[in-house]
Amino acid sequence: MTLLHAELRKLVTLPSLRLTALLTLLASLLLMYLEAPRPLRYVQAGFLVLGVLAAASEHQGGDQIRATLLAMPRRLRLYAAKVAALAVVAAPVALLASAPDAGYLVLTALLGGAAGTLIRRAEAAAVLVLVVYFIVCPLLRGRFSYPPDHAASGAPAVWAAGAVTLAGYVFHRRDA
């Protein structure tokens, strides 16, 4: 079994991820049915939480990350597989939720995953990314040209790449 396959298997068997994906899709359908203005603004919350849960799940409870690191001590390779697995899991959900914005939603999940990796606690990381996306970014929109929540610009890719790189560095250097 390859490393990517193992990480994918971990993610698709997490009940919290399946529930988050299902609720996100249901919210997307409901918002489309109600013809809500800017439904993407609300659907992205599900992808932020999806990313956080995917990344932080191994650090909580039984501290499964220790077993993972024993099985695969090459941390950068492991982290790359985790990021790829999150993108693969988030992509079909993003296509079903909002096909035109699927790339943006996958980047949003990766940003949430980076926060989950950095903070290692799902609740704290989820609160952080939701506060940033729904409170801080709207407040900075007039003063800051490229917030991470602006789907039309290239900013989400830059923010996601920066956050994933930082999280990978911290994952490589920090104790389990």
Side-chain angles (χ1 to χ4, degrees), residues 11-59:
L11 290 183
V12 298
T13 58
L14 281 174
S16 61
L17 256 58
R18 288 195 306 260
L19 182 61
T20 301
L22 178 65
L23 291 174
T24 301
L25 289 174
L26 290 175
S28 174
L29 290 173
L30 180 64
L31 290 168
M32 285 190 299
Y33 176 75
L34 296 174
E35 297 178 2
R38 297 177 47 184
L40 180 65
R41 181 90 180 122
Y42 304 104
V43 171
Q44 71 188 359
F47 285 89
L48 288 166
V49 172
L50 185 81
V52 165
L53 291 175
S57 65
E58 281 191 291
H59 295 281

Side-chain angles (χ1 to χ4, degrees), residues 140-159:
L140 294 178
R141 192 158 283 126
R143 297 176 186 95
F144 188 62
S145 300
Y146 302 103
D149 70 331
H150 195 285
S153 70
V158 173
W159 279 91

Side-chain angles (χ1 to χ4, degrees), residues 38-112:
R38 297 177 47 184
L40 180 65
R41 181 90 180 122
Y42 304 104
V43 171
Q44 71 188 359
F47 285 89
L48 288 166
V49 172
L50 185 81
V52 165
L53 291 175
S57 65
E58 281 191 291
H59 295 281
Q60 297 195 187
D63 221 10
Q64 182 187 357
I65 192 67
R66 293 176 193 268
T68 302
L69 289 171
L70 281 174
M72 182 57 198
R74 297 172 66 189
R75 289 181 179 220
L76 289 179
R77 187 168 171 225
L78 174 63
Y79 185 70
K82 288 181 174 301
V83 170
L86 176 56
V88 167
V89 167
V93 179
L95 283 170
L96 290 172
S98 177
D101 298 301
Y104 168 71
L105 292 173
V106 171
L107 291 171
T108 302
L110 292 176
L111 197 68

